[in-house]
Amino acid sequence: MSKTGLIDTPFKPVEKNVVEEYKTLLEDALGFKRAVDEEGRVVDEELLPKVSEGEIVEIYTYMVRARVIDSWLLKLQRMGKVALHAPNKGQEAVAVGAAKPLRRDDWVFPSYRELGAYLVRGMSEEEILDRALANADDPLKGSDFAIFGNRKYNLVPAPVPVGNQIPISVGAAYAMKYLGRDTVTLTFFGDGATSRGDFHAGLNFAGVFKVPAVLVIQNNQWAISVPRARQTAAPSLAVKGLAYGVPGVRIDGNDVMVVYKIVSDAAEKARRGGGPTLIEAVTYRLGPHTTADDPSRYRTSEEERIMERYEPLRRMRKFMESMGILTEKEALSIEEEWNSKVEEIVRKVLAKPPLPENVFFQNVYGEKPWFIQEEERDLEETLKTMEELGLSYKE
Ligand SMILES: Cc1ncc(C[n+]2csc(CCOP(=O)(O)OP(=O)(O)O)c2C)c(N)n1
């Protein structure tokens, strides 16, 4: 026996009880949990979260709001007002269902496709649009496009490199544990991100140090044009957690009820010192990867048409109707209501002034080095000369 007891000696196989425990864990990681099927029927009552009817309507409303703002961002990009947008259509249940059970002081590390989570955290449509248009009220002051986030809501801006948020969020979770807090981190990333080294480094650290992290894979089947089958030869993505000692659960990501339930249980377990969970939420991206993508080059419209049947809003309407919570008509009127609300917000936001031209030189350095000061002066002079010549770079 070593002094620390941390090394395997004498050499022996893994104990029987661990093998038994892993057999149960395998079932979760290779299975497929759902509470409500695509026709809105309850298929497993045990997986329904304990939420009131009012909360169910609230959850549905967040999903509607995410869908509405998403379609506006798409339109505004086509109008040349937004540089780039990564559509969320079809993935609202994962974003809303995972963010909703969290506490205000928990931390969310999104990827770039979680509008529903931003709304749940408290970001308004106006703030989302200010960000997307990079206007004078943009909370991130024009830094990078298509990336959201806001310190006010413990919502960390997503990185551009795929999967970078994984080790960063795991480190943040470790910090929470180190500080003795009972806050957790919730991280979103795609199926493609599971092929990056950052995923493996993050999961390994999370498992070894039992950090309070909930890691959610938005398995939307595609990493731009690369299908899920090209990401791994493993039978599921959730099963990858087990190699790192992180329990993995594979769930129906279009069933917001099961997403809420599984994330809520994982977060509470993490809060009590039970360590991390990897959740594979199986969903489908109904739109293009970004506004710069054309999915018809790598998948059929037949596939998209079939997947429409599984989309989460339709399922929620059917579920609420069958539970006598809201009729389909009432549910659809929530969509109409938000459509007109957001239209008004769009008008307001479009009328706001742009960021000042010298924004590049602000918010980066506490004290600007000489070469930055020189560049800033250069810009000022260029703008002055353009004005004298009657030239404008604005529309
Ligand atoms: C390190 C890195 N490699 C490549 C890219 C280009 N890229 C941007 S998004 C993306 C696909 C990501 O797919 P996935 O993780 O499944 O997320 P999804 O977009 O499907 O939500 C790629 C390859 C990048 N941003 N960073």
Side-chain angles (χ1 to χ4, degrees):
M1 186 72 176
S2 76
K3 268 191 185 165
T4 58
L6 293 176
I7 65 165
D8 296 338
T9 177
F11 300 104
K12 55 181 195 274
V14 172
E15 281 167 30
K16 235 206 164 95
N17 60 343
V18 177
V19 175
E20 287 310 312
E21 188 196 329
Y22 265 64
K23 279 184 187 157
T24 319
L25 289 172
L26 262 178
E27 266 170 36
D28 279 349
L30 297 177
F32 185 64
K33 291 186 192 296
R34 50 161 47 169
V36 179
D37 73 7
E38 57 273 15
E39 292 311 318
R41 292 176 295 233
V42 176
V43 287
D44 192 339
E45 286 214 21
E46 302 246 306
L47 289 174
L48 281 178
K50 297 205 172 8
V51 286
S52 66
E53 290 191 358
E55 283 167 308
I56 289 177
V57 176
E58 196 193 354
I59 288 168
Y60 170 72
T61 308
Y62 274 122
M63 289 163 67
V64 166
R65 287 174 59 189
R67 171 93 35 117
V68 170
I69 185 83
D70 186 62
S71 68
W72 268 105
L73 286 166
L74 199 63
K75 274 186 262 190
L76 288 163
Q77 194 279 336
R78 299 306 190 220
M79 285 159 64
K81 302 288 180 192
V82 166
L84 183 85
H85 175 55
N88 295 207
K89 191 178 175 198
Q91 298 185 225
E92 296 90 348
V94 184
V96 172
K100 194 71 183 61
L102 289 200
R103 278 192 340 212
R104 174 68 189 81
D105 59 335
D106 292 332
W107 285 89
V108 177
F109 289 75
S111 178
Y112 37 70
R113 218 182 287 285
E114 278 85 30
L115 284 174
Y118 314 145
L119 293 167
V120 170
R121 292 305 288 175
M123 245 174 124
S124 64
E125 279 80 358
E126 184 167 341
E127 284 172 293
I128 289 172
L129 287 167
D130 287 340
R131 170 80 277 259
L133 270 73
N135 66 22
D137 289 341
D138 174 6
L140 298 184
K141 305 271 181 273
S143 64
D144 223 311
F145 52 87
I147 301 296
F148 298 83
N150 200 319
R151 175 187 290 230
K152 263 199 304 196
Y153 310 116
N154 285 16
L155 189 59
V156 179
V160 171
V162 166
N164 269 28
Q165 71 274 36
I166 305 169
I168 295 170
S169 65
V170 164
Y174 181 70
M176 298 302 142
K177 184 174 162 157
Y178 182 80
L179 293 171
R181 301 205 184 130
D182 71 342
T183 49
V184 304
T185 62
L186 168 68
T187 313
F188 293 96
F189 49 95
D191 38 300
T194 64
S195 298
R196 290 218 50 231
D198 285 12
F199 169 78
H200 305 282
L203 264 282
N204 199 47
F205 190 97
V208 169
F209 294 99
K210 264 194 143 193
V211 306
V214 182
L215 299 135
V216 176
I217 308 167
Q218 280 249 27
N219 176 7
N220 67 6
Q221 320 274 338
W222 293 95
I224 315 187
S225 55
V226 180
R228 143 71 182 82
R230 287 279 177 275
Q231 298 301 339
T232 181
S236 85
L237 296 169
V239 78
K240 292 185 163 201
L242 299 190
Y244 302 107
V246 177
V249 193
R250 190 164 176 269
I251 63 171
D252 185 338
N254 285 1
D255 170 10
V256 72
M257 291 289 108
V258 84
V259 178
Y260 186 113
K261 166 82 177 142
I262 298 297
V263 171
S264 166
D265 289 355
E268 288 320 307
K269 182 181 132 193
R271 243 183 255 300
R272 292 192 309 268
T277 307
L278 176 68
I279 297 165
E280 175 187 352
V282 183
T283 178
Y284 189 82
R285 158 169 63 77
L286 284 167
H289 169 74
T290 65
T291 42
D293 174 45
D294 172 10
S296 73
R297 297 184 59 182
Y298 54 85
R299 70 186 191 194
T300 61
S301 50
E302 171 72 0
E303 172 183 317
E304 289 169 19
R305 204 181 50 75
I306 292 169
M307 296 315 284
E308 285 276 356
R309 215 184 116 216
Y310 294 85
E311 71 89 7
L313 268 75
R314 171 185 180 272
R315 185 181 314 194
M316 259 308 250
R317 284 194 290 271
K318 289 188 173 289
F319 167 67
M320 291 191 300
E321 175 134 87
S322 71
M323 300 291 278
I325 299 171
L326 279 189
T327 63
E328 193 148 4
K329 203 164 152 236
E330 283 166 338
L332 284 169
S333 72
I334 294 180
E335 205 167 317
E336 270 168 43
E337 182 192 328
W338 278 96
N339 258 321
S340 47
K341 272 190 193 162
V342 179
E343 190 174 332
E344 237 170 79
I345 300 168
V346 168
R347 277 183 218 286
K348 179 178 171 196
V349 169
L350 283 174
K352 289 191 190 184
L355 281 162
E357 285 85 359
N358 65 349
V359 73
F360 310 112
F361 306 105
Q362 298 166 352
N363 315 299
V364 179
Y365 294 96
E367 216 171 291
K368 286 175 208 161
W370 63 266
F371 54 90
I372 295 287
Q373 291 180 28
E374 208 174 270
E375 280 185 35
E376 196 170 5
R377 273 196 303 276
D378 266 1
L379 176 71
E380 264 169 43
E381 275 168 34
T382 309
L383 290 172
K384 210 164 128 227
T385 313
M386 283 177 77
E387 202 184 311
E388 281 164 10
L389 296 172
L391 300 170
S392 171
Y393 64 92
K394 294 177 189 162
E395 280 175 84

